[in-house]
Amino acid sequence: EKQTTETVIKQADNTTDTGNTITVETSGGAKAELTIEDLNVRSGNTSAIDVKGSSEAEITLKGDNKLETDDASVVHVSEGHVTITGDGTLYADNDSDSDHAKIGSNGSEDMSGSIHITGNAQVTTGDDRHDHGVGGGAAIGSGRRGNMSGGITIDENATVIASSSEDGAGIGSGLRGDMSGTITIGGNATVTGTSGYDGAGIGSGENGTMSGTITIDGNAKVTAWSEEEGAGIGAGEDSGVSGTIRIGGNASVKAGSA
């Protein structure tokens, strides 16, 4: 079922942040299509954008959007399906002690749905590596103790810079969460995935198994880095890899750890 009108959410004066939030709830196979333009949201312990349950949303970025929370996922998706596209930018950050993903599920919650970043979207998460926080969520994926059994896809001309606060993966699962799903990076995407401490740059967080599939192909340019004992691509510290890592096409990949 397709929307017949475009929903545009624009902040007239974004020099001051607002606590207003967006909730998406669909059923019966419907997809919500919304455009966010020049938003500046700080929503405390509530997600700035909450995609409820198995709902589906396509979010088009226009202008520069800054979304921040304290103790919640910024763009919350667990069972649902979210596409982020457009020509604008999105900056998403939560507190450095937060156990929730910045884009994905909350702490102790699986991310079994899908996150697709595409088009010319530019998505950056806050870089809290030097804030001495103890947060355990992935930057994009699942929160602490949440499994990432769904799918994360970054393609077309998207640019993504994803940095976790502490022991979660940059892209993948949080601390003590398994990465059994799929991470696919292709097209002409440019992606940097960094764990703030012992998670993988792309893969699983510390104490989480990487049993899923990571595919990098096309003309993608990928940098994956762990600040301490995690792998650049694979698993975090004290974790195992039983899954598959595929690199093909004309992809350029740089991966490592401190």
Side-chain angles (χ1 to χ4, degrees):
E1 187 176 342
K2 185 175 176 61
Q3 272 183 221
T4 57
T5 58
E6 180 184 19
T7 300
V8 180
I9 302 170
K10 182 176 180 179
Q11 191 168 336
D13 178 10
N14 67 354
T15 57
T16 302
D17 59 48
T18 177
N20 294 334
T21 62
I22 299 167
T23 299
V24 176
E25 192 163 6
T26 65
S27 61
K31 177 173 69 173
E33 298 176 353
L34 62 148
T35 296
I36 61 172
E37 182 173 358
D38 294 328
L39 298 189
N40 181 4
V41 176
R42 186 166 189 92
S43 55
N45 296 335
T46 302
S47 294
I49 300 177
D50 187 0
V51 180
K52 295 283 192 182
S54 58
S55 298
E56 183 174 358
E58 181 175 301
I59 302 168
T60 299
L61 305 178
K62 283 188 178 181
D64 297 320
N65 299 278
K66 181 179 181 181
L67 309 180
E68 296 179 298
T69 67
D70 293 325
D71 196 23
S73 292
V74 180
V75 179
H76 175 247
V77 52
S78 55
E79 304 170 45
H81 306 280
V82 173
T83 297
I84 299 173
T85 187
D87 297 311
T89 70
L90 172 62
Y91 174 85
D93 195 21
N94 54 19
D95 190 86
S96 60
D97 290 332
S98 176
D99 283 333
H100 315 298
K102 296 170 185 180
I103 300 175
S105 66
N106 287 316
S108 300
E109 179 182 50
D110 295 345
M111 208 299 285
S112 57
S114 65
I115 299 167
H116 184 193
I117 303 174
T118 189
N120 296 305
Q122 299 177 51
V123 176
T124 303
T125 71
D127 186 347
D128 306 315
R129 287 175 290 168
H130 306 295
D131 290 351
H132 306 292
V134 294
I140 300 176
S142 62
R144 179 175 180 160
R145 295 185 183 272
N147 297 325
M148 209 301 284
S149 57
I152 299 169
T153 302
I154 305 169
D155 60 12
E156 294 192 0
N157 299 305
T159 300
V160 174
I161 302 173
S163 305
S164 72
S165 301
E166 183 79 0
D167 292 321
I171 301 172
S173 64
L175 170 66
R176 300 185 185 276
D178 295 336
M179 206 301 282
S180 58
T182 61
I183 299 171
T184 304
I185 302 171
N188 296 305
T190 300
V191 176
T192 299
T194 303
S195 172
Y197 207 71
D198 284 329
I202 299 174
S204 69
E206 181 184 3
N207 293 119
T209 299
M210 204 298 281
S211 58
T213 300
I214 299 170
T215 302
I216 303 171
D217 60 14
N219 297 306
K221 296 179 180 179
V222 174
T223 301
W225 182 258
S226 174
E227 284 289 293
E228 289 292 335
E229 301 296 330
I233 301 174
E237 184 184 21
D238 297 326
S239 309
V241 175
S242 59
T244 302
I245 300 170
R246 299 186 179 119
I247 301 173
N250 296 309
S252 171
V253 178
K254 298 178 182 179
S257 58

